[in-house]
Amino acid sequence: MNRTEDVLQALDAAEAEMRRRYFDFLRMPSVSAQPDHAADCRRTAEWLVGELREIGFEAAVRETAGHPVVVAKHAGPAGIDAPHLLYYGHYDVQPAEPFELWTSPPFEPTVVEGPHGDRVVARGAVDDKGQVMTWLSAMRAWHQVTGGLPVRVTALIEGEEEVGSPSLDAFLRDNAAELSADIAVVSDTNQWDFATPAITTRLRGMVYAQIDLRAASRDLHSGMYGGAARNPLNLLARILGDLHDDDGRIQIPGFYDGVTPVSNAQAAQWAALGFDEARYLGDVGLSVPAGERGLGALERIWARPTCDVNGMWGGYTGEGSKTVIAGEAHAKLSCRLVGQQDPAKIEEGIRQFVRERLPKDCSAEVRIFASAAPVEVPVENRFIAAAQAVLQDEYGVAPAMIGGGGSIPVVESFKRILNTDALLMGFGLDDDQVHSPNEKFDWRCLTRGARSHARLLGKLAG
Amino acid sequence: MNRTEDVLQALDAAEAEMRRRYFDFLRMPSVSAQPDHAADCRRTAEWLVGELREIGFEAAVRETAGHPVVVAKHAGPAGIDAPHLLYYGHYDVQPAEPFELWTSPPFEPTVVEGPHGDRVVARGAVDDKGQVMTWLSAMRAWHQVTGGLPVRVTALIEGEEEVGSPSLDAFLRDNAAELSADIAVVSDTNQWDFATPAITTRLRGMVYAQIDLRAASRDLHSGMYGGAARNPLNLLARILGDLHDDDGRIQIPGFYDGVTPVSNAQAAQWAALGFDEARYLGDVGLSVPAGERGLGALERIWARPTCDVNGMWGGYTGEGSKTVIAGEAHAKLSCRLVGQQDPAKIEEGIRQFVRERLPKDCSAEVRIFASAAPVEVPVENRFIAAAQAVLQDEYGVAPAMIGGGGSIPVVESFKRILNTDALLMGFGLDDDQVHSPNEKFDWRCLTRGARSHARLLGKLAG
């Protein structure tokens, strides 16, 4: 245990250096969605290889059909049967648009003062560059103090997470023997709140679809055609309005296949978290829970599927009035999935739902932008136990065992392709503005995250 | 009758001059919606006063709360009890935006070759400057040949028709004695087709509303809030999707109050028009009639009310996916009205319809952008009979007696305030691109329109 204490001291002493490296990482605009930034993505991968080699890893940029992956290996201590940990992260970031809403340039990390001290504002500050920095910094400190790592580590840092990881499954399949490990460690989730750490044990899956309806071949004057020509906006509203019944149940065919009720033990554990739904809704100006009736908020967010319209547009959207019947109408729709729901069946259910409501001279295109199965992480293993212990040590309070409303598809891929379970230990906060302008990471979250990872490495040492 | 023949010859001989005056009229960008063009509106009104004075009218620019009105009076023949005709038109035009879609500058009239010979492309080419030119030119020819007009004429040309005529009712009330006439003659409608003239005998009314829904105070991440926070896009779709039942009937409370069935005689007359619904829909890429079931297309367009979503927007509308739950959702909605439907009751019905479907922590604002009662014109009078006769003479084919899907609120105001019925004899074609880029008027429609008006003045001479 005194090796860990030495490492923690070294980590604290290296804060300035950690910040410098973190800022170098943030300055590279590794936007995976935008082809203009392909070279920036590669440069970021190469930078990571340099970082990993400095701390004793055998590291390389590995090609995929898309942006490259960084893979690095560290054998850990010689002669000891140490566990093998697969650390996963992603170096790509969301687009920063709209730029005009940023208070500082998105790729020039800027320190501002928040209620918990310094916070760093930049695209990727938390998602996922800041979170990757927590474990890279912990390993650097272990390397500095001991000349190595106390466990065997493989690092896998991809560059396409923000575009749905299209190349990752193939890469995992092609390199399964090399990448399979005792546990995957993923830092891409949040704490419970600033004072309370969390381990995420379930993640909802997702299907994200765009629906494009087409009716008349051009925009029509509603005086000349109203009452005779199909209006695709009325039709779209009718289709989307049918998605839920009066009790909030989703009407897509077969939607609830594989949705399992929460166990009593699980429900009791969540109830013990003392979640304040009134405040959670009140913070965003709401008071009436939406979604299915008769369920608690945590159950609805963590354990129930959803279907939300994320965007909708068509016709005249300017000032004042224009009496047009549009030729097209569009919507973006996402379903969050739980339990054993099958994304492929949900995709087909959405297509069928639209098709059944379509007059024969209208057409609908349904495009799928993301598709990921839900994940539940086994909680009865020594890695979760170790993480609970080190988070308790670091924060002085037991971590909340939580669900996550969002989706991290890679966790499901690790299980399916590598047969490797995951430990989801993340340090973000709910107000980090992930995917939005002015994304930030509290410096204290980053340093406590690094210290937690340093502790975990020590705890798991053979 | 030989006076009329002389006038028609003079009219034909003056085509070059007519075109020159018409182009002067079109070059003035009298866009009533845009404050920057207020001076252009006034200049256009002054130009019209000059035109009217040249042909014997006592004419003046008259002030209103908005853009001025032109009023001109001609006593007609001395000593004869000639009828008093109120000619109505508007000198204002729609905005020309988007400019980039025009093939020539919108305020520089340009002659292009079409299937029926020359056509003039410009904003206002037909709506309503070109139509106003038909009767101004006819009166100029009468003045030139006879030194006067064969009937008593009051001309009323307003400058706010394209913004809903906000000042006109008050102006009519304040000047009712001066403006009341035996008939109002309005040229702001279309022919049946290029070969067949038309008299419009009914116009649908309209209520145009914008609905703004507000839920959360900011955009939310659907992973963190999906299933718990109200999604205003889902809610908007549900509200708009409820507007029609499965048979296409509109569900706004009290919507059908005052909707009367079409008489058998009317239905028989419309059936005789031989309207080709398959072609009408096929021209715009459709094949299945929308709207209420069991009705013919002309009945649905001319004699049945509608409720169309004209625009809808909210959330993420860019490329790819963004898992956002928006804070707001918006729609523009218009109802076309018929029979005795009351626009004020329809407005309240829309508000009630939205309110009844609103969770208590969401708000909805319903703004009304236009509100006009439907109009039916009496057809059993000598003015209609005269118009039928002169159109038959000019075109060699009887005019179609048609309904109009659009709305011309001033016709209802004339009846209500001046107790003056209207004769709607217009010369536009369905492909004139009214309110759109590249608005045009076929030159042959303009000259036949002028000749028809010249004939009408002769026919009604005392």
Side-chain angles (χ1 to χ4, degrees):
Chain A
M1 195 58 179
N2 48 10
R3 281 203 308 172
T4 297
E5 288 302 330
D6 292 344
V7 169
L8 292 175
Q9 280 187 21
L11 200 47
D12 292 345
E15 274 201 28
E17 182 193 342
M18 179 161 70
R19 186 175 290 199
R20 184 177 59 71
R21 292 179 190 275
Y22 174 45
F23 280 22
D24 287 346
F25 196 9
L26 291 173
R27 285 194 184 99
M28 291 177 279
S30 47
V31 180
S32 50
Q34 297 172 338
D36 285 357
H37 286 296
D40 294 314
C41 288
R42 181 168 297 273
R43 185 159 60 93
T44 309
E46 287 164 354
W47 180 86
L48 282 167
V49 165
E51 292 291 296
L52 286 155
R53 285 181 180 158
E54 277 184 27
I55 55 176
F57 278 84
E58 179 190 321
V61 170
R62 305 269 287 264
E63 298 306 322
T64 73
H67 299 300
V69 162
V70 173
V71 177
K73 289 178 252 184
H74 197 296
I80 299 175
D81 187 22
H84 179 196
L85 277 56
L86 174 66
Y87 278 81
Y88 164 85
H90 62 91
Y91 65 78
D92 65 319
V93 297
Q94 279 274 319
E97 287 84 351
F99 292 113
E100 66 274 17
L101 296 185
W102 286 80
T103 55
S104 52
F107 298 106
E108 184 47 57
T110 302
V111 178
V112 301
E113 184 71 14
H116 308 302
D118 282 0
R119 45 173 59 172
V120 177
V121 175
R123 171 55 82 229
V126 58
D127 179 20
D128 189 39
K129 289 177 174 175
Q131 301 248 30
V132 167
M133 279 308 291
T134 60
W135 50 266
L136 279 185
S137 303
M139 291 174 190
R140 181 175 289 276
W142 269 98
H143 178 79
Q144 178 193 332
V145 172
T146 70
L149 295 181
V151 296
R152 181 178 163 204
V153 172
T154 300
L156 171 69
I157 309 176
E158 69 156 319
E160 298 187 320
E161 199 270 353
E162 299 294 3
V163 292
S165 302
S167 309
L168 193 69
D169 276 14
F171 189 84
L172 295 180
R173 274 194 299 273
D174 292 347
N175 302 280
E178 177 184 359
L179 297 171
S180 296
D182 296 313
I183 191 79
V185 182
V186 178
S187 286
D188 201 8
T189 50
N190 284 0
Q191 304 184 171
W192 175 247
D193 57 27
F194 180 73
T196 316
I199 295 170
T200 298
T201 65
R202 49 163 77 212
L203 292 165
R204 292 194 289 194
M206 180 161 72
V207 168
Y208 197 110
Q210 178 164 329
I211 301 170
D212 301 299
L213 295 186
R214 288 181 180 83
S217 52
R218 62 176 174 85
D219 287 356
L220 305 175
H221 188 285
S222 78
M224 282 173 57
Y225 282 91
R230 181 68 55 184
N231 184 325
L233 291 173
N234 286 60
L235 179 63
L236 181 65
R238 203 168 162 79
I239 292 171
L240 300 178
D242 276 357
L243 282 169
H244 298 80
D245 71 7
D246 291 341
D247 292 325
R249 284 197 48 104
I250 295 154
Q251 302 299 302
I252 294 168
F255 189 79
Y256 288 93
D257 292 353
V259 176
T260 44
V262 169
S263 70
N264 290 343
Q266 182 70 84
Q269 192 218 315
W270 288 347
L273 288 174
F275 181 71
D276 184 346
E277 180 168 17
R279 181 173 164 187
Y280 159 80
L281 290 176
D283 280 349
V284 296
L286 296 172
S287 61
V288 184
E292 293 168 290
R293 293 197 184 159
L295 300 175
L298 290 185
E299 185 171 353
R300 272 184 278 109
I301 305 166
W302 293 345
R304 297 299 298 175
T306 67
C307 185
D308 272 302
V309 180
N310 302 115
M312 193 161 73
W313 69 103
Y316 179 68
T317 60
E319 285 297 305
S321 62
K322 183 170 176 183
T323 50
V324 65
I325 295 180
E328 303 182 1
H330 310 273
K332 291 176 194 276
L333 188 73
S334 63
C335 297
R336 300 279 177 177
L337 310 181
V338 302
Q340 309 302 315
Q341 279 181 298
D342 178 351
K345 284 190 183 161
I346 300 296
E347 291 177 24
E348 181 46 36
I350 294 171
R351 291 182 201 281
Q352 183 186 338
F353 187 85
V354 172
R355 202 163 52 229
E356 286 172 356
R357 285 160 180 79
L358 208 61
K360 79 165 189 256
D361 60 354
C362 294
S363 70
E365 187 183 3
V366 176
R367 284 182 285 163
I368 304 297
F369 290 160
S371 190
V375 169
E376 289 183 45
V377 172
V379 293
E380 303 293 328
N381 62 56
R382 68 182 184 109
F383 301 104
I384 299 280
Q388 287 179 297
V390 302
L391 289 169
Q392 165 84 51
D393 289 344
E394 177 62 29
Y395 288 78
V397 50
M401 303 299 285
I402 65 173
S407 306
I408 306 184
V410 69
V411 174
E412 189 270 333
S413 296
F414 286 159
K415 181 65 186 174
R416 177 167 39 83
I417 301 170
L418 306 182
N419 194 30
T420 298
D421 287 320
L423 161 62
L424 305 177
M425 182 173 93
F427 304 96
L429 295 179
D430 287 351
D431 68 352
D432 281 347
Q433 311 265 50
V434 167
H435 294 196
S436 295
N438 305 312
E439 179 179 350
K440 63 87 177 165
F441 199 19
D442 278 273
W443 183 250
R444 190 91 181 85
C445 288
L446 194 157
T447 57
R448 286 197 300 198
R451 289 173 54 93
S452 300
H453 275 295
R455 288 180 189 273
L456 184 68
L457 290 165
K459 192 82 172 178
L460 293 174
Chain B
M1 195 59 181
N2 46 10
R3 281 202 309 171
T4 297
E5 288 302 329
D6 292 345
V7 170
L8 293 175
Q9 279 187 22
L11 200 48
D12 292 347
E15 274 201 30
E17 183 193 341
M18 179 161 70
R19 186 175 290 199
R20 184 177 59 70
R21 292 180 189 275
Y22 174 45
F23 280 22
D24 286 346
F25 196 10
L26 292 173
R27 285 195 184 97
M28 291 177 279
S30 47
V31 180
S32 50
Q34 298 173 337
D36 286 356
H37 287 295
D40 294 313
C41 288
R42 181 169 297 272
R43 185 159 59 94
T44 309
E46 287 164 352
W47 180 88
L48 281 167
V49 166
E51 292 290 296
L52 286 157
R53 284 181 180 158
E54 277 184 27
I55 56 177
F57 279 84
E58 178 190 321
V61 170
R62 305 268 286 264
E63 298 306 322
T64 72
H67 299 300
V69 163
V70 172
V71 177
K73 288 177 253 186
H74 196 297
I80 300 175
D81 188 22
H84 179 195
L85 278 55
L86 174 65
Y87 278 81
Y88 164 84
H90 62 90
Y91 66 78
D92 65 319
V93 298
Q94 280 275 318
E97 287 84 351
F99 291 113
E100 65 274 16
L101 297 185
W102 286 79
T103 55
S104 53
F107 297 105
E108 184 47 55
T110 302
V111 177
V112 302
E113 183 70 15
H116 308 302
D118 282 0
R119 45 173 59 174
V120 177
V121 175
R123 170 56 81 229
V126 59
D127 178 19
D128 189 39
K129 289 177 173 175
Q131 300 249 29
V132 166
M133 280 308 292
T134 60
W135 51 266
L136 278 185
S137 303
M139 290 174 190
R140 179 175 290 276
W142 270 97
H143 178 78
Q144 178 193 330
V145 172
T146 70
L149 296 182
V151 296
R152 180 176 163 206
V153 171
T154 299
L156 171 69
I157 309 175
E158 70 155 319
E160 298 188 319
E161 198 270 352
E162 299 294 3
V163 291
S165 301
S167 311
L168 194 68
D169 276 14
F171 189 83
L172 295 181
R173 274 194 300 271
D174 292 347
N175 302 279
E178 177 183 358
L179 297 171
S180 296
D182 297 313
I183 191 80
V185 181
V186 178
S187 286
D188 201 8
T189 51
N190 283 1
Q191 304 185 170
W192 175 248
D193 57 28
F194 179 74
T196 315
I199 295 170
T200 299
T201 64
R202 51 205 296 157
L203 292 165
R204 292 195 289 193
M206 180 160 72
V207 168
Y208 197 110
Q210 178 165 329
I211 301 170
D212 301 300
L213 294 186
R214 288 181 180 83
S217 52
R218 61 176 175 84
D219 286 357
L220 305 174
H221 188 285
S222 79
M224 284 173 55
Y225 281 91
R230 180 70 53 184
N231 183 325
L233 291 174
N234 287 59
L235 178 63
L236 181 65
R238 203 168 163 78
I239 291 172
L240 300 178
D242 276 357
L243 282 170
H244 297 81
D245 71 7
D246 290 341
D247 292 324
R249 284 196 49 103
I250 294 154
Q251 303 298 303
I252 294 168
F255 189 78
Y256 288 94
D257 292 354
V259 176
T260 45
V262 168
S263 70
N264 290 343
Q266 181 71 84
Q269 192 219 315
W270 288 348
L273 288 174
F275 181 70
D276 184 345
E277 179 167 19
R279 182 173 164 188
Y280 160 80
L281 290 176
D283 280 350
V284 296
L286 296 172
S287 62
V288 184
E292 292 167 290
R293 293 200 183 155
L295 300 175
L298 289 186
E299 185 171 353
R300 271 184 280 109
I301 305 167
W302 292 346
R304 297 299 298 176
T306 67
C307 184
D308 272 301
V309 180
N310 301 115
M312 194 161 71
W313 69 103
Y316 179 68
T317 60
E319 285 295 306
S321 61
K322 183 171 177 182
T323 50
V324 65
I325 295 179
E328 302 182 2
H330 310 272
K332 291 175 194 275
L333 189 73
S334 63
C335 297
R336 299 278 177 178
L337 309 182
V338 301
Q340 309 302 315
Q341 279 181 297
D342 177 352
K345 284 190 183 162
I346 301 296
E347 291 178 24
E348 181 46 37
I350 295 171
R351 290 182 203 280
Q352 182 185 339
F353 187 84
V354 172
R355 203 164 51 227
E356 286 172 355
R357 286 160 179 79
L358 208 61
K360 79 166 190 258
D361 59 354
C362 295
S363 70
E365 186 182 4
V366 176
R367 285 181 285 163
I368 304 297
F369 289 160
S371 189
V375 168
E376 288 183 44
V377 171
V379 293
E380 303 293 327
N381 62 55
R382 68 181 184 110
F383 301 103
I384 300 278
Q388 287 179 298
V390 302
L391 290 168
Q392 165 85 51
D393 289 344
E394 177 62 29
Y395 288 77
V397 50
M401 303 299 285
I402 66 173
S407 306
I408 306 183
V410 69
V411 173
E412 189 270 333
S413 296
F414 287 159
K415 182 65 186 174
R416 178 167 40 83
I417 301 171
L418 306 182
N419 194 30
T420 298
D421 287 319
L423 161 63
L424 304 176
M425 182 173 91
F427 304 95
L429 294 179
D430 287 351
D431 68 352
D432 280 346
Q433 311 266 48
V434 167
H435 293 197
S436 294
N438 304 312
E439 178 180 350
K440 64 87 177 164
F441 198 19
D442 277 273
W443 183 250
R444 190 89 182 88
C445 288
L446 194 156
T447 56
R448 286 197 301 198
R451 287 174 55 94
S452 300
H453 274 295
R455 288 180 190 272
L456 183 69
L457 290 166
K459 193 83 173 178
L460 293 174

